[in-house]
Coordinates of all heavy atoms in Angstrom, one line a residue:
M67 N 165.9 -41.2 75.7 CA 165.8 -42.0 74.5 C 167.1 -41.8 73.6 O 167.6 -40.7 73.6 CB 164.6 -41.5 73.7 CG 164.5 -42.1 72.3 SD 163.0 -41.5 71.4 CE 163.3 -42.2 69.8
P68 N 167.6 -42.9 73.0 CA 168.8 -42.7 72.2 C 168.4 -41.8 71.0 O 167.2 -41.6 70.7 CB 169.0 -44.2 71.7 CG 167.8 -45.0 72.0 CD 167.1 -44.3 73.0
Q69 N 169.4 -41.3 70.4 CA 169.2 -40.3 69.3 C 168.5 -41.1 68.2 O 168.7 -42.3 67.9 CB 170.5 -39.8 68.8 CG 171.1 -38.8 69.9 CD 172.1 -37.9 69.3 OE1 173.0 -38.3 68.6 NE2 172.0 -36.6 69.7
V70 N 167.6 -40.3 67.5 CA 166.9 -40.9 66.4 C 167.9 -41.2 65.2 O 168.7 -40.3 64.9 CB 165.8 -40.0 65.9 CG1 165.0 -40.5 64.7 CG2 164.8 -39.7 67.1
S71 N 167.7 -42.3 64.6 CA 168.7 -42.7 63.5 C 167.9 -42.9 62.2 O 166.8 -43.4 62.1 CB 169.3 -44.1 63.9 OG 169.4 -45.0 62.8
F72 N 168.6 -42.4 61.1 CA 168.0 -42.5 59.8 C 167.7 -44.0 59.4 O 166.6 -44.3 59.1 CB 168.9 -41.9 58.7 CG 168.3 -41.9 57.4 CD1 167.2 -41.1 57.0 CD2 168.8 -42.8 56.4 CE1 166.6 -41.2 55.8 CE2 168.2 -42.9 55.1 CZ 167.1 -42.1 54.8
A73 N 168.7 -44.8 59.5 CA 168.6 -46.2 59.1 C 167.6 -47.0 60.0 O 166.7 -47.7 59.4 CB 169.9 -46.9 59.2
A74 N 167.6 -46.7 61.3 CA 166.7 -47.5 62.2 C 165.3 -47.0 62.3 O 164.3 -47.7 62.4 CB 167.3 -47.6 63.6
D75 N 165.1 -45.6 62.2 CA 163.9 -45.0 62.6 C 163.2 -44.3 61.4 O 162.0 -44.3 61.3 CB 164.1 -44.0 63.7 CG 164.7 -44.6 64.9 OD1 164.3 -45.7 65.4 OD2 165.7 -44.0 65.4
I76 N 163.9 -43.6 60.6 CA 163.4 -42.7 59.6 C 163.1 -43.4 58.3 O 162.0 -43.3 57.7 CB 164.2 -41.4 59.4 CG1 164.4 -40.7 60.8 CG2 163.7 -40.6 58.3 CD1 163.0 -40.3 61.4
K77 N 164.1 -44.1 57.8 CA 164.0 -44.7 56.5 C 162.8 -45.7 56.4 O 162.1 -45.7 55.4 CB 165.3 -45.4 56.1 CG 165.3 -45.9 54.7 CD 166.7 -46.4 54.3 CE 166.7 -47.5 53.3 NZ 168.0 -48.1 53.1
P78 N 162.6 -46.5 57.5 CA 161.5 -47.4 57.5 C 160.1 -46.8 57.4 O 159.1 -47.5 57.1 CB 161.6 -48.2 58.8 CG 163.0 -48.1 59.2 CD 163.4 -46.7 58.7
L79 N 160.0 -45.5 57.6 CA 158.7 -44.8 57.5 C 158.2 -44.6 56.1 O 157.0 -44.5 55.8 CB 158.7 -43.4 58.2 CG 159.1 -43.4 59.7 CD1 159.2 -41.9 60.2 CD2 158.0 -44.1 60.5
S80 N 159.1 -44.6 55.2 CA 158.7 -44.6 53.7 C 158.5 -46.0 53.2 O 159.4 -46.8 53.3 CB 159.8 -43.9 52.9 OG 159.9 -42.5 53.3
R81 N 157.4 -46.1 52.5 CA 157.1 -47.4 51.9 C 157.9 -47.6 50.6 O 158.4 -46.6 50.0 CB 155.6 -47.5 51.5 CG 154.7 -47.3 52.7 CD 153.2 -47.1 52.2 NE 153.2 -45.9 51.4 CZ 152.1 -45.6 50.6 NH1 151.1 -46.4 50.6 NH2 152.1 -44.5 49.9
A82 N 158.1 -48.8 50.1 CA 158.8 -49.1 48.9 C 158.2 -48.2 47.8 O 158.9 -47.7 46.9 CB 158.8 -50.5 48.6
I83 N 156.9 -48.1 47.7 CA 156.2 -47.4 46.6 C 156.6 -45.9 46.7 O 156.8 -45.2 45.7 CB 154.7 -47.6 46.6 CG1 154.1 -47.1 45.4 CG2 154.0 -47.1 47.9 CD1 152.6 -47.5 45.1
D84 N 156.7 -45.4 48.0 CA 157.0 -43.9 48.1 C 158.4 -43.7 47.6 O 158.7 -42.8 46.8 CB 157.0 -43.6 49.6 CG 155.7 -43.7 50.2 OD1 154.7 -43.5 49.6 OD2 155.6 -44.1 51.4
I85 N 159.4 -44.6 48.0 CA 160.8 -44.5 47.5 C 160.9 -44.5 46.0 O 161.5 -43.7 45.4 CB 161.6 -45.6 48.2 CG1 161.6 -45.3 49.8 CG2 163.0 -45.6 47.6 CD1 162.2 -46.4 50.6
S86 N 160.2 -45.5 45.4 CA 160.4 -45.7 44.0 C 159.7 -44.6 43.2 O 160.3 -44.0 42.3 CB 159.9 -47.1 43.5 OG 158.5 -47.2 43.7
H87 N 158.5 -44.1 43.6 CA 157.8 -43.1 42.9 C 158.5 -41.7 43.0 O 158.5 -41.0 42.1 CB 156.4 -42.9 43.4 CG 155.5 -44.0 42.8 ND1 154.2 -43.8 42.4 CD2 155.7 -45.4 42.7 CE1 153.7 -45.0 41.9 NE2 154.6 -45.9 42.2
M88 N 159.1 -41.5 44.2 CA 159.7 -40.2 44.3 C 161.1 -40.1 43.7 O 161.5 -38.9 43.4 CB 159.8 -39.8 45.8 CG 158.5 -39.5 46.5 SD 157.4 -38.5 45.5 CE 158.4 -37.1 45.3
K89 N 161.7 -41.2 43.3 CA 163.0 -41.1 42.7 C 162.9 -40.4 41.3 O 163.8 -39.7 40.9 CB 163.6 -42.5 42.5 CG 164.3 -43.0 43.7 CD 165.2 -44.2 43.4 CE 165.4 -45.1 44.6 NZ 166.2 -44.5 45.7
R90 N 161.7 -40.5 40.7 CA 161.5 -39.9 39.4 C 161.5 -38.4 39.5 O 161.8 -37.7 38.6 CB 160.1 -40.2 38.9 CG 160.0 -41.4 38.0 CD 158.6 -41.5 37.5 NE 157.9 -42.7 38.1 CZ 156.6 -42.7 38.5 NH1 155.9 -41.6 38.3 NH2 156.1 -43.8 39.0
F91 N 161.2 -37.9 40.7 CA 161.3 -36.4 41.0 C 162.5 -36.0 41.7 O 162.6 -34.9 42.3 CB 160.0 -36.0 41.7 CG 158.7 -36.4 41.0 CD1 158.1 -37.5 41.4 CD2 158.2 -35.6 40.0 CE1 156.9 -37.9 40.7 CE2 157.0 -35.9 39.4 CZ 156.4 -37.1 39.7
N92 N 163.5 -36.9 41.7 CA 164.8 -36.6 42.4 C 164.6 -36.4 43.9 O 165.4 -35.6 44.4 CB 165.5 -35.4 41.7 CG 165.8 -35.8 40.2 OD1 166.3 -36.9 39.9 ND2 165.6 -34.8 39.3
V93 N 163.6 -37.0 44.5 CA 163.5 -36.9 45.9 C 163.9 -38.3 46.4 O 163.2 -39.3 46.1 CB 162.0 -36.6 46.3 CG1 161.9 -36.7 47.8 CG2 161.7 -35.2 45.8
E94 N 165.0 -38.5 47.1 CA 165.6 -39.8 47.4 C 165.3 -40.1 48.9 O 166.2 -39.9 49.7 CB 167.0 -39.8 47.0 CG 167.2 -39.5 45.6 CD 168.6 -39.8 45.1 OE1 169.3 -40.7 45.6 OE2 169.1 -39.0 44.2
L95 N 164.1 -40.7 49.1 CA 163.7 -40.9 50.5 C 164.5 -41.9 51.2 O 164.5 -42.0 52.4 CB 162.2 -41.3 50.5 CG 161.3 -40.2 50.0 CD1 159.9 -40.9 49.8 CD2 161.2 -39.0 50.8
D96 N 165.2 -42.8 50.5 CA 166.0 -43.9 51.1 C 167.5 -43.5 51.1 O 168.3 -44.3 51.5 CB 165.9 -45.2 50.3 CG 166.3 -45.1 48.9 OD1 166.4 -44.0 48.3 OD2 166.5 -46.1 48.2
N97 N 167.9 -42.3 50.7 CA 169.3 -41.9 50.6 C 169.7 -41.0 51.7 O 169.2 -39.8 51.8 CB 169.4 -41.2 49.2 CG 170.9 -40.8 48.9 OD1 171.7 -40.5 49.8 ND2 171.2 -40.8 47.6
Y98 N 170.6 -41.4 52.6 CA 171.0 -40.6 53.7 C 171.6 -39.3 53.3 O 171.3 -38.3 53.9 CB 171.9 -41.4 54.6 CG 172.5 -40.5 55.8 CD1 171.6 -40.2 56.8 CD2 173.8 -40.0 55.7 CE1 172.1 -39.4 57.8 CE2 174.2 -39.2 56.7 CZ 173.4 -38.9 57.8 OH 173.8 -38.0 58.8
T99 N 172.4 -39.3 52.3 CA 173.1 -38.1 51.9 C 172.1 -37.1 51.4 O 172.2 -35.9 51.8 CB 174.1 -38.4 50.7 OG1 175.0 -39.4 51.2 CG2 174.8 -37.1 50.3
Y100 N 171.1 -37.5 50.7 CA 170.0 -36.6 50.2 C 169.2 -36.1 51.4 O 169.0 -34.9 51.6 CB 169.1 -37.3 49.2 CG 167.9 -36.5 48.8 CD1 168.0 -35.5 47.8 CD2 166.7 -36.5 49.5 CE1 166.9 -34.8 47.4 CE2 165.6 -35.7 49.2 CZ 165.7 -34.8 48.2 OH 164.7 -34.0 47.8
M101 N 168.8 -37.0 52.3 CA 167.9 -36.7 53.3 C 168.5 -35.9 54.4 O 167.8 -35.1 55.1 CB 167.2 -38.0 53.9 CG 166.3 -38.7 52.9 SD 164.8 -37.8 52.7 CE 164.0 -38.2 54.2
S102 N 169.8 -36.0 54.6 CA 170.5 -35.3 55.7 C 170.9 -33.9 55.3 O 171.4 -33.1 56.1 CB 171.7 -36.0 56.2 OG 172.6 -36.2 55.2
N103 N 170.6 -33.5 54.1 CA 170.7 -32.1 53.6 C 169.5 -31.4 54.3 O 168.3 -31.7 54.0 CB 170.6 -32.0 52.1 CG 170.6 -30.6 51.6 OD1 169.9 -29.7 52.1 ND2 171.4 -30.3 50.6
P104 N 169.7 -30.4 55.2 CA 168.6 -29.8 55.9 C 167.5 -29.2 55.0 O 166.3 -29.3 55.3 CB 169.2 -28.7 56.7 CG 170.7 -29.2 56.9 CD 171.0 -29.9 55.6
N105 N 167.9 -28.7 53.8 CA 166.8 -28.1 52.9 C 165.9 -29.2 52.4 O 164.7 -29.1 52.3 CB 167.5 -27.5 51.7 CG 168.1 -26.1 52.1 OD1 167.7 -25.5 53.0 ND2 169.2 -25.8 51.3
N106 N 166.5 -30.4 52.0 CA 165.7 -31.5 51.5 C 164.9 -32.1 52.6 O 163.7 -32.3 52.4 CB 166.6 -32.6 51.0 CG 167.4 -32.1 49.8 OD1 167.0 -31.2 49.1 ND2 168.5 -32.8 49.5
A107 N 165.4 -32.2 53.8 CA 164.6 -32.8 54.9 C 163.5 -31.9 55.3 O 162.4 -32.4 55.6 CB 165.5 -33.0 56.2
T108 N 163.7 -30.6 55.3 CA 162.6 -29.7 55.6 C 161.5 -29.7 54.5 O 160.3 -29.7 54.9 CB 163.2 -28.2 55.7 OG1 164.1 -28.3 56.8 CG2 162.1 -27.2 56.0
Q109 N 161.9 -29.8 53.3 CA 160.9 -30.0 52.2 C 160.1 -31.3 52.3 O 158.9 -31.3 52.1 CB 161.5 -29.9 50.8 CG 161.9 -28.5 50.4 CD 162.5 -28.5 49.0 OE1 162.0 -29.3 48.1 NE2 163.4 -27.6 48.8
V110 N 160.8 -32.3 52.7 CA 160.1 -33.6 52.8 C 159.1 -33.6 54.0 O 157.9 -34.0 53.9 CB 161.1 -34.8 53.0 CG1 160.5 -36.0 53.5 CG2 161.9 -35.0 51.7
L111 N 159.5 -33.0 55.1 CA 158.6 -32.9 56.3 C 157.4 -32.0 55.9 O 156.3 -32.3 56.3 CB 159.4 -32.4 57.5 CG 158.6 -32.4 58.8 CD1 158.0 -33.7 59.2 CD2 159.4 -31.8 60.0
A112 N 157.7 -30.9 55.2 CA 156.6 -30.0 54.8 C 155.5 -30.8 54.0 O 154.3 -30.6 54.2 CB 157.1 -28.8 54.1
A113 N 156.0 -31.6 53.1 CA 155.1 -32.4 52.2 C 154.3 -33.4 52.9 O 153.1 -33.7 52.6 CB 155.9 -33.1 51.1
L114 N 154.8 -33.9 54.0 CA 154.2 -34.9 54.8 C 153.2 -34.3 55.9 O 152.5 -35.1 56.5 CB 155.2 -35.7 55.6 CG 156.1 -36.6 54.7 CD1 157.3 -37.1 55.5 CD2 155.3 -37.9 54.3
S115 N 153.3 -33.0 56.1 CA 152.6 -32.3 57.2 C 151.3 -31.7 56.7 O 151.3 -31.1 55.7 CB 153.5 -31.3 57.9 OG 154.7 -31.9 58.4
P116 N 150.2 -31.7 57.5 CA 149.0 -30.9 57.2 C 149.3 -29.4 57.3 O 150.2 -29.0 58.1 CB 148.0 -31.4 58.2 CG 148.7 -32.1 59.3 CD 150.1 -32.4 58.8
H117 N 148.6 -28.7 56.5 CA 148.8 -27.2 56.5 C 147.4 -26.5 56.5 O 146.6 -26.8 55.6 CB 149.5 -26.7 55.2 CG 150.9 -27.1 55.1 ND1 151.8 -26.4 55.8 CD2 151.6 -28.0 54.5 CE1 153.0 -26.9 55.6 NE2 152.9 -27.9 54.8
D118 N 147.2 -25.6 57.4 CA 146.0 -24.8 57.4 C 144.7 -25.6 57.3 O 143.9 -25.3 56.5 CB 146.1 -23.7 56.3 CG 147.3 -22.8 56.5 OD1 147.7 -22.6 57.6 OD2 147.8 -22.4 55.4
G119 N 144.7 -26.7 57.9 CA 143.5 -27.6 57.8 C 143.4 -28.4 56.6 O 142.5 -29.2 56.4
E120 N 144.4 -28.3 55.7 CA 144.4 -29.1 54.5 C 145.2 -30.4 54.7 O 146.2 -30.3 55.5 CB 145.1 -28.3 53.3 CG 144.3 -27.1 52.9 CD 143.0 -27.4 52.2 OE1 142.9 -28.4 51.5 OE2 142.0 -26.7 52.5
P121 N 144.9 -31.5 54.1 CA 145.7 -32.7 54.4 C 147.1 -32.5 53.7 O 147.3 -31.6 52.9 CB 144.9 -33.8 53.6 CG 143.9 -33.1 52.7 CD 143.7 -31.7 53.3
P122 N 148.0 -33.4 54.1 CA 149.4 -33.3 53.5 C 149.3 -33.5 52.0 O 148.4 -34.1 51.5 CB 150.1 -34.4 54.2 CG 149.3 -34.7 55.5 CD 147.9 -34.4 55.1
T123 N 150.3 -33.0 51.3 CA 150.3 -33.2 49.9 C 150.9 -34.6 49.6 O 150.6 -35.2 48.5 CB 151.2 -32.1 49.1 OG1 152.5 -32.1 49.7 CG2 150.5 -30.8 49.2
M124 N 151.7 -35.1 50.5 CA 152.4 -36.4 50.2 C 152.1 -37.4 51.4 O 152.1 -37.0 52.5 CB 153.9 -36.3 50.1 CG 154.3 -35.5 48.9 SD 154.0 -36.5 47.4 CE 153.4 -35.3 46.3
P125 N 152.0 -38.7 51.1 CA 151.8 -39.3 49.8 C 150.4 -38.9 49.2 O 149.5 -38.8 50.0 CB 151.9 -40.8 50.0 CG 151.8 -41.0 51.4 CD 152.1 -39.8 52.2
P126 N 150.2 -38.7 47.9 CA 149.0 -38.3 47.4 C 147.8 -39.2 47.8 O 147.8 -40.4 47.5 CB 149.2 -38.3 45.8 CG 150.7 -38.2 45.7 CD 151.2 -38.9 46.9
G127 N 146.8 -38.6 48.5 CA 145.7 -39.4 49.0 C 145.9 -40.2 50.2 O 145.0 -40.9 50.7
G128 N 147.1 -40.2 50.7 CA 147.5 -40.9 52.0 C 148.0 -42.3 51.6 O 148.2 -42.6 50.5
P129 N 148.2 -43.1 52.6 CA 148.0 -42.9 54.1 C 149.1 -41.9 54.6 O 150.2 -42.0 54.3 CB 148.3 -44.3 54.7 CG 149.2 -45.0 53.7 CD 148.9 -44.5 52.4
Y130 N 148.5 -40.9 55.3 CA 149.4 -39.8 55.9 C 150.1 -40.3 57.1 O 149.7 -41.2 57.8 CB 148.5 -38.6 56.2 CG 147.8 -38.1 55.0 CD1 146.4 -38.0 55.0 CD2 148.5 -37.8 53.8 CE1 145.7 -37.6 53.9 CE2 147.7 -37.4 52.6 CZ 146.4 -37.3 52.7 OH 145.7 -36.9 51.6
W131 N 151.3 -39.7 57.3 CA 152.0 -40.0 58.6 C 151.2 -39.4 59.7 O 150.6 -38.3 59.7 CB 153.4 -39.3 58.5 CG 154.4 -40.0 57.6 CD1 154.1 -40.8 56.5 CD2 155.8 -39.8 57.6 NE1 155.3 -41.2 55.9 CE2 156.3 -40.6 56.6 CE3 156.7 -39.1 58.4 CZ2 157.7 -40.7 56.3 CZ3 158.0 -39.2 58.2 CH2 158.5 -40.0 57.1
N132 N 151.3 -40.2 60.9 CA 150.6 -39.7 62.1 C 151.5 -38.7 62.9 O 152.7 -38.5 62.5 CB 150.1 -40.9 62.9 CG 151.2 -41.7 63.5 OD1 152.3 -41.2 63.8 ND2 151.0 -43.0 63.5
E133 N 150.9 -38.1 63.9 CA 151.7 -37.2 64.7 C 153.0 -37.7 65.3 O 154.0 -37.0 65.3 CB 150.8 -36.7 65.9 CG 149.6 -35.9 65.6 CD 150.0 -34.4 65.3 OE1 151.1 -34.0 65.6 OE2 149.2 -33.8 64.6
A134 N 153.0 -39.0 65.7 CA 154.2 -39.6 66.3 C 155.3 -39.7 65.2 O 156.5 -39.5 65.5 CB 153.8 -40.9 66.9
Q135 N 154.9 -40.0 64.0 CA 155.9 -40.2 63.0 C 156.4 -38.9 62.5 O 157.7 -38.7 62.3 CB 155.2 -40.9 61.8 CG 154.8 -42.4 62.1 CD 153.9 -43.0 61.0 OE1 153.0 -42.3 60.5 NE2 154.2 -44.3 60.7
L136 N 155.6 -37.8 62.5 CA 156.1 -36.5 62.1 C 157.0 -36.0 63.2 O 158.0 -35.4 62.9 CB 154.9 -35.6 61.9 CG 154.0 -35.9 60.7 CD1 152.7 -35.1 60.7 CD2 154.7 -35.7 59.4
A137 N 156.6 -36.3 64.5 CA 157.5 -35.8 65.6 C 158.8 -36.5 65.6 O 159.8 -35.9 65.9 CB 156.7 -36.1 66.9
L138 N 158.8 -37.8 65.2 CA 160.1 -38.6 65.2 C 161.0 -37.9 64.1 O 162.2 -37.8 64.3 CB 159.8 -40.0 64.8 CG 160.9 -41.0 65.0 CD1 161.3 -41.2 66.5 CD2 160.5 -42.4 64.4
F139 N 160.4 -37.6 63.0 CA 161.2 -37.0 61.9 C 161.9 -35.6 62.4 O 163.0 -35.4 62.2 CB 160.4 -36.7 60.7 CG 161.1 -36.4 59.4 CD1 161.4 -37.4 58.5 CD2 161.6 -35.1 59.2 CE1 162.2 -37.0 57.3 CE2 162.3 -34.8 58.1 CZ 162.6 -35.7 57.1
L140 N 161.0 -34.8 63.1 CA 161.5 -33.6 63.6 C 162.6 -33.8 64.6 O 163.6 -33.1 64.7 CB 160.4 -32.8 64.2 CG 160.7 -31.3 64.6 CD1 161.2 -30.5 63.5 CD2 159.5 -30.7 65.3
Q141 N 162.4 -34.8 65.5 CA 163.5 -35.1 66.5 C 164.7 -35.6 65.8 O 165.8 -35.2 66.2 CB 162.9 -36.3 67.4 CG 163.9 -36.5 68.6 CD 164.0 -35.3 69.5 OE1 163.0 -34.7 69.8 NE2 165.2 -34.9 69.8
W142 N 164.6 -36.3 64.7 CA 165.8 -36.7 63.9 C 166.6 -35.5 63.4 O 167.8 -35.4 63.5 CB 165.4 -37.6 62.7 CG 166.5 -38.0 61.8 CD1 167.6 -38.7 62.2 CD2 166.7 -37.6 60.5 NE1 168.4 -38.9 61.1 CE2 167.9 -38.2 60.0 CE3 165.9 -36.9 59.6 CZ2 168.4 -38.1 58.7 CZ3 166.4 -36.8 58.3 CH2 167.6 -37.3 57.8
Q143 N 165.8 -34.5 63.0 CA 166.5 -33.2 62.5 C 167.1 -32.5 63.7 O 168.3 -32.1 63.6 CB 165.4 -32.3 61.9 CG 164.9 -32.8 60.6 CD 164.0 -31.7 59.9 OE1 162.8 -31.6 60.3 NE2 164.6 -31.0 59.0
N144 N 166.4 -32.5 64.9 CA 167.0 -31.8 66.0 C 168.1 -32.5 66.6 O 169.0 -31.9 67.3 CB 165.9 -31.6 67.1 CG 164.8 -30.6 66.6 OD1 165.1 -29.7 65.8 ND2 163.6 -30.7 67.2
D145 N 168.2 -33.8 66.4 CA 169.3 -34.6 66.9 C 170.6 -34.5 66.0 O 171.6 -35.1 66.3 CB 169.0 -36.1 67.0 CG 168.1 -36.5 68.2 OD1 168.0 -35.6 69.2 OD2 167.6 -37.6 68.3
G146 N 170.4 -33.8 64.9 CA 171.6 -33.6 64.1 C 171.7 -34.6 63.0 O 172.9 -34.9 62.6
Y147 N 170.6 -35.2 62.5 CA 170.7 -36.0 61.3 C 171.6 -37.2 61.5 O 172.5 -37.5 60.8 CB 171.1 -35.3 60.1 CG 170.2 -34.1 59.8 CD1 170.5 -32.8 60.1 CD2 169.0 -34.3 59.1 CE1 169.7 -31.7 59.8 CE2 168.1 -33.3 58.8 CZ 168.5 -32.0 59.2 OH 167.7 -30.9 58.9
Q148 N 171.4 -38.0 62.6 CA 172.2 -39.2 62.8 C 172.0 -40.2 61.7 O 170.8 -40.5 61.3 CB 171.9 -39.8 64.2 CG 172.1 -38.8 65.4 CD 173.5 -38.2 65.4 OE1 174.5 -39.0 65.3 NE2 173.6 -36.9 65.4
P149 N 173.0 -40.9 61.2 CA 172.8 -41.9 60.2 C 172.0 -43.1 60.7 O 171.4 -43.8 59.9 CB 174.2 -42.3 59.8 CG 175.1 -41.8 60.9 CD 174.4 -40.7 61.6
Ligands
LIG280 C1 160.3 -32.8 48.8 C2 159.2 -33.5 49.1 C3 158.3 -34.1 48.0 C4 158.0 -33.5 46.7 C5 158.5 -32.2 46.2 C6 157.1 -34.5 46.1 C7 156.6 -34.3 44.8 C8 155.7 -35.2 44.2 C9 155.1 -35.0 42.9 C10 155.3 -33.7 42.0 C11 154.4 -36.1 42.6 C12 153.6 -36.4 41.3 C13 152.3 -35.6 41.3 C14 151.3 -36.0 42.3 O1 150.9 -37.1 42.3 O2 151.0 -35.2 43.2 C15 154.5 -37.0 43.7 C16 153.9 -38.3 43.8 C17 154.1 -39.1 44.9 N1 154.8 -38.9 46.0 FE1 155.8 -37.3 46.5 N2 156.9 -35.5 46.9 C18 157.6 -35.3 48.1 C19 157.7 -36.2 49.1 C20 157.1 -37.4 49.3 C21 157.1 -38.2 50.4 C22 157.8 -37.8 51.7 C23 156.4 -39.3 50.2 C24 156.0 -40.5 51.1 C25 156.7 -40.8 52.2 C26 155.9 -39.2 48.8 C27 155.1 -40.2 48.1 C28 154.6 -40.0 46.8 C29 153.8 -41.0 46.2 C30 153.4 -42.4 46.7 C31 153.5 -40.5 44.9 C32 152.5 -41.1 43.9 C33 153.0 -41.2 42.6 C34 152.0 -41.9 41.7 O3 150.8 -42.2 42.1 O4 152.4 -42.3 40.6 N3 156.3 -38.0 48.3 N4 155.4 -36.4 44.7

């Protein structure tokens, strides 16, 4: 599989409402520079992932990302944050 790309694969996973609501909290889901910072990407993935049987914290109340979407995000990180 070609390397996972932010523009083609990752950015489209966030809805317009996610992007606009999170800007208020300085979480820039549509911004490659923000998202390709490993600390930011790791926090975003943690917010989207279930923990200890609890649902993800983000987006509040869902719809939550499925396993394939979470795996794609992790692959993007492992591929070295391709734009
Ligand atoms: C670093 C990661 C994130 C942090 C720290 C964070 C933090 C927050 C906080 C503090 C709120 C407001 C309080 C609340 O409703 O719980 C919020 C709301 C929200 N977040 Fe996030 N969030 C993160 C990632 C995300 C992601 C990845 C998405 C979706 C792809 C998302 C979607 C939303 C939405 C839709 C709201 C609803 C706001 C509203 O109803 O007005 N967030 N987030």
Side-chain angles (χ1 to χ4, degrees):
M67 171 176 173
Q69 291 199 315
V70 180
S71 141
F72 181 72
D75 304 311
I76 299 302
K77 189 171 149 186
L79 297 175
S80 291
R81 302 167 300 167
I83 191 169
D84 299 324
I85 292 167
S86 68
H87 285 222
M88 291 316 304
K89 279 196 205 293
R90 269 187 251 142
F91 302 97
N92 298 317
V93 175
E94 300 191 33
L95 298 171
D96 61 343
N97 181 332
Y98 174 73
T99 302
Y100 175 88
M101 292 289 285
S102 62
N103 174 316
N105 289 331
N106 294 337
T108 297
Q109 281 184 36
V110 166
L111 184 58
L114 291 163
S115 302
H117 286 285
D118 302 326
E120 298 291 323
T123 55
M124 291 292 139
Y130 303 124
W131 287 21
N132 64 35
E133 290 284 343
Q135 293 170 320
L136 296 170
L138 192 67
F139 192 99
L140 187 61
Q141 188 62 47
W142 177 62
Q143 294 188 277
N144 290 338
D145 282 349
Y147 302 100
Q148 301 306 310

